[in-house]
Amino acid sequence: METPTDTSAPTADIAEPAATAQPTVPAQATAPEPATAPAKAEGREEPAESAEPTPAADVSEPAEAAEASEPADASEVSQPADASDASDASEPADAAEAADASQPATAPEPATAPEPATAPEPADLADPRFWQLPAADRAAAFEELRRRPGPVFFGDRATGRGFHALVRHADVVEASRTPAVFLSGPGVTTPAPARWVRLLFGDSMVNLDDPRHAQLRRIVSRAFTPRLLDRVEEDVRRISTELVDRIERERPEDFVSAVAAELPFQVICTMMGIPERTRRAILDLVNRSSEDIGVARPLRRRFRAPGRGLRALGRMQGIVAGIGRERRRRPEEDLISALVTADLDGRRLTGRELGAFFSLLLVAGVETTRNALAHGLHLLTVHPEQRALLLDDLDGRLGGAVDEMIRHATPIIQFNRTLAVDHELGGTGGTLLRAGEKVALFYGSANRDEVVFPDPDAFDITRTPNPHLGFGGGGPHYCLGAHLAQQEMTALFRELFTRLPEARSVGEPQLVPSSFDHRVRSLRFTF
Ligand code: HEM
């Protein structure tokens, strides 16, 4: 079978840095919200360049432009995005064009048609404007999609550009757990990283299939053994205590920059053994290399200009590789030492692999956890009865509350897979997916699947069971940091509510429209 090379994935905004897939959260203006949902068929013309049928996706811009318009917020730990820019030269010029490019090859509806005989067109998930709609409208669109008999295809099936939207729990689980059919290698995000970026910076495990995926995962799993995580737990508690100390001392207004972004960044740096004095420089480089992918922006700012961000990423990885060399000579009690001194399948991790792994942890572990924490505080604020329930029995209910926060908020909206062979989804007689086609695994929609979750929109910290797919649908790529993320959220909320039981958000969170993740830029809070 030929390896599909089409990179026109359904997802958005993921910038793939050296070694990962997560999007960045740069400080950028967000697009205005359109009043209505873009329908799938609007009688548009096929654009000349339909390279990227991704929603809100891949929209990026030169780092310079981003910085000129709004300085990066040092508090926002974002991943080095530029690496992926480089991969994507062909970009639809603006949101409307991107929307057009992603349209399915269905005939436009005649203007005079009274009532269509068939079901109405679903909202267009491939249209960047869809991801700027209010959350309730997007949720309603997914609810409607879940009621359909099979996945809807968005894009142009004839050219192979587009994706089947997997919106049901069972479908996301099937795709996640059948890795020989649903490949990650062609890229789980859009745009896929350019070959030279992959070569230069190393491949991310999220974009690998077996046997390379299994080999790399075995190596990096050393960071997540129960023994190591036990040790990390102490650090997580200590850092949570320090953060709450700081809240009391400095009374910051923004929960995201003061707490939610800080905790996972400090935890990962501590795990790796990054010296305190180097951390700010790393954070600064990470921020410089990032940009707002996934956010629809005006035409003039939709050009990619790789270079500066990539250089920042390279420098950041260079620093980490340097620490690696030092630890190889004089090992300490940290993960970098463990990774560079251990004999792994007959070899050692190279400096480049170490840098790539560190980037992966930063982008996969910081952004997600930060968004989960911010959504979590807000959910508890707007559901006072759940908050009271939690505070009544913090130890007994915190684990369930954290799971429910992740289900309800679903920090990562989607990842993609590419079909290795023809496949009938759901078994014989199911929807035929063809080799080379892409599917988008919509975790947020799966987490509201009424077949699995009674009253799925309710935020219920006592929900049992809670088989949410916030960390993925199982299978070989299941989130490596799931346990760590839960540890961090549990420790932080325990410390916060034990010492400051009045802590709550004020007003609405500042969200960043994205088709990839549920980003919170800032969240005011009080205590
Ligand atoms: C609430 C926080 C988090 C959420 C919601 C989350 C979610 C996810 C999701 C949905 C995936 C893809 C799973 C799949 O494709 O089947 C993933 C993969 C991954 N996550 Fe997380 N994650 C979180 C925290 C973390 C943390 C703290 C780390 C590490 C420090 C981490 C490291 C990774 C890695 C390395 C992968 C790729 C695994 C592979 O491809 O084998 N994540 N995560």
Side-chain angles (χ1 to χ4, degrees):
M1 197 217 56
E2 221 179 76
T3 311
T5 51
D6 171 29
T7 58
S8 64
T11 61
D13 40 275
I14 297 56
E16 172 94 4
T20 186
Q22 314 250 28
T24 74
V25 180
Q28 282 289 330
T30 60
E33 297 200 341
T36 55
K40 215 178 141 199
E42 287 177 8
R44 73 208 70 62
E45 285 171 15
E46 208 47 52
E49 170 57 285
S50 61
E52 289 292 337
T54 76
D58 47 75
V59 191
S60 63
E61 71 186 19
E64 287 82 353
E67 285 177 18
S69 63
E70 196 176 333
D73 175 358
S75 68
E76 288 187 278
V77 181
S78 52
Q79 85 279 32
D82 268 88
S84 72
D85 292 352
S87 70
D88 185 7
S90 61
E91 182 83 19
D94 65 11
E97 194 177 332
D100 282 354
S102 60
Q103 297 310 316
T106 52
E109 281 185 32
T112 52
E115 288 283 81
T118 52
E121 284 291 334
D124 190 354
L125 307 190
D127 186 333
R129 290 170 297 175
F130 174 81
W131 300 97
Q132 298 159 31
L133 293 171
D137 293 1
R138 280 180 281 129
F142 277 111
E143 192 182 331
E144 198 276 324
L145 284 170
R146 285 194 300 274
R147 281 200 296 269
R148 294 183 172 243
V152 172
F153 188 84
F154 294 92
D156 183 356
R157 205 167 178 180
T159 63
R161 295 183 183 282
F163 58 94
H164 298 270
L166 305 191
V167 294
R168 281 194 283 255
H169 194 277
D171 293 346
V172 172
V173 167
E174 180 177 337
S176 304
R177 297 184 187 182
T178 324
V181 172
F182 294 89
L183 300 177
S184 297
V188 296
T189 57
T190 296
R195 244 174 77 77
W196 69 269
V197 171
R198 282 185 160 196
L199 284 173
L200 198 59
F201 290 100
D203 257 319
S204 159
M205 58 198 289
V206 284
N207 283 328
L208 292 178
D209 293 306
D210 284 348
R212 281 189 69 205
H213 173 262
Q215 189 199 29
L216 200 58
R217 182 144 175 149
R218 248 197 324 277
I219 293 173
V220 299
S221 292
R222 293 173 159 253
F224 297 91
T225 57
R227 195 176 57 83
L228 255 166
L229 282 181
D230 274 354
R231 260 199 1 230
V232 172
E233 181 139 34
E234 282 167 38
D235 292 324
V236 171
R237 264 195 251 124
R238 178 182 51 77
I239 296 167
S240 299
T241 307
E242 287 168 4
L243 286 174
V244 177
D245 289 348
R246 210 171 106 197
I247 293 177
E248 286 189 307
R249 207 173 48 241
E250 297 174 12
R251 308 183 78 82
E253 287 192 353
D254 178 25
F255 183 73
V256 173
S257 53
V259 183
E262 198 63 19
L263 174 65
F265 177 70
Q266 294 299 344
V267 167
I268 287 170
C269 286
T270 305
M271 273 176 80
M272 295 290 284
I274 306 288
E276 296 272 355
R277 63 180 185 283
T278 317
R279 292 184 191 181
R280 285 298 133 190
I282 286 181
L283 190 54
D284 185 46
L285 285 169
V286 171
N287 278 327
R288 237 187 287 162
S289 70
S290 70
E291 61 187 357
D292 57 345
I293 300 179
V295 182
R297 277 170 292 147
L299 170 64
R300 68 191 162 76
R301 297 171 66 196
R302 287 177 57 95
F303 295 101
R304 290 174 182 277
R308 182 169 158 153
L310 211 51
R311 276 199 302 278
L313 173 64
R315 277 175 55 201
M316 193 269 282
Q317 298 202 355
I319 294 176
V320 177
I323 299 173
R325 280 193 297 277
E326 231 174 84
R327 298 293 154 77
R328 198 170 283 142
R329 283 194 301 271
R330 277 189 300 278
E332 293 182 15
E333 279 287 295
D334 58 43
L335 186 55
I336 291 188
S337 305
L339 288 171
V340 296
T341 55
D343 193 320
L344 307 159
D345 294 340
R347 67 183 186 90
R348 295 198 168 114
L349 216 61
T350 63
R352 201 185 62 162
E353 285 170 324
L354 185 69
F357 176 54
F358 181 67
S359 303
L360 173 62
L361 289 192
L362 274 185
V363 300
V366 174
E367 203 69 31
T368 46
T369 310
R370 143 207 162 125
N371 291 331
L373 283 165
H375 281 293
L377 181 65
H378 189 60
L379 280 166
L380 288 173
T381 305
V382 296
H383 296 279
E385 76 298 342
Q386 295 297 311
R387 177 198 177 86
L389 213 56
L390 176 63
L391 294 191
D392 254 9
D393 181 7
L394 201 53
D395 282 336
R397 298 204 176 108
L398 197 47
V402 162
D403 264 327
E404 181 65 349
M405 287 170 192
I406 290 167
R407 183 193 74 86
H408 206 275
T410 313
I412 292 187
I413 296 173
Q414 58 165 319
F415 269 132
N416 308 325
R417 298 288 191 267
T418 303
L419 273 288
V421 291
D422 288 358
H423 178 78
E424 284 175 294
L425 191 71
T428 312
T431 304
L432 179 63
L433 309 174
R434 295 191 183 283
E437 289 182 342
K438 284 192 182 283
V439 291
L441 283 57
F442 284 103
Y443 301 118
S445 176
N447 282 344
R448 298 290 172 100
D449 189 338
E450 22 309 89
V451 172
V452 176
F453 303 101
D455 196 4
D457 292 335
F459 175 65
D460 175 4
I461 65 167
T462 63
R463 193 180 284 280
T464 325
N466 191 347
H468 69 78
L469 306 186
F471 292 117
H477 291 278
Y478 184 76
C479 177
L480 191 58
H483 186 67
L484 177 62
Q486 283 162 325
Q487 263 183 1
E488 291 181 37
M489 293 178 71
T490 307
L492 193 274
F493 283 125
R494 176 176 290 120
E495 188 71 16
L496 187 68
F497 290 127
T498 304
R499 289 171 55 188
L500 304 172
E502 292 302 316
R504 64 190 71 231
S505 61
V506 177
E508 288 299 307
Q510 288 283 308
L511 302 173
V512 184
S514 163
S515 58
F516 177 72
D517 66 352
H518 285 129
R519 307 180 198 181
V520 185
R521 173 175 294 150
S522 61
L523 178 69
R524 292 184 56 226
F525 81 121
T526 185
F527 52 91

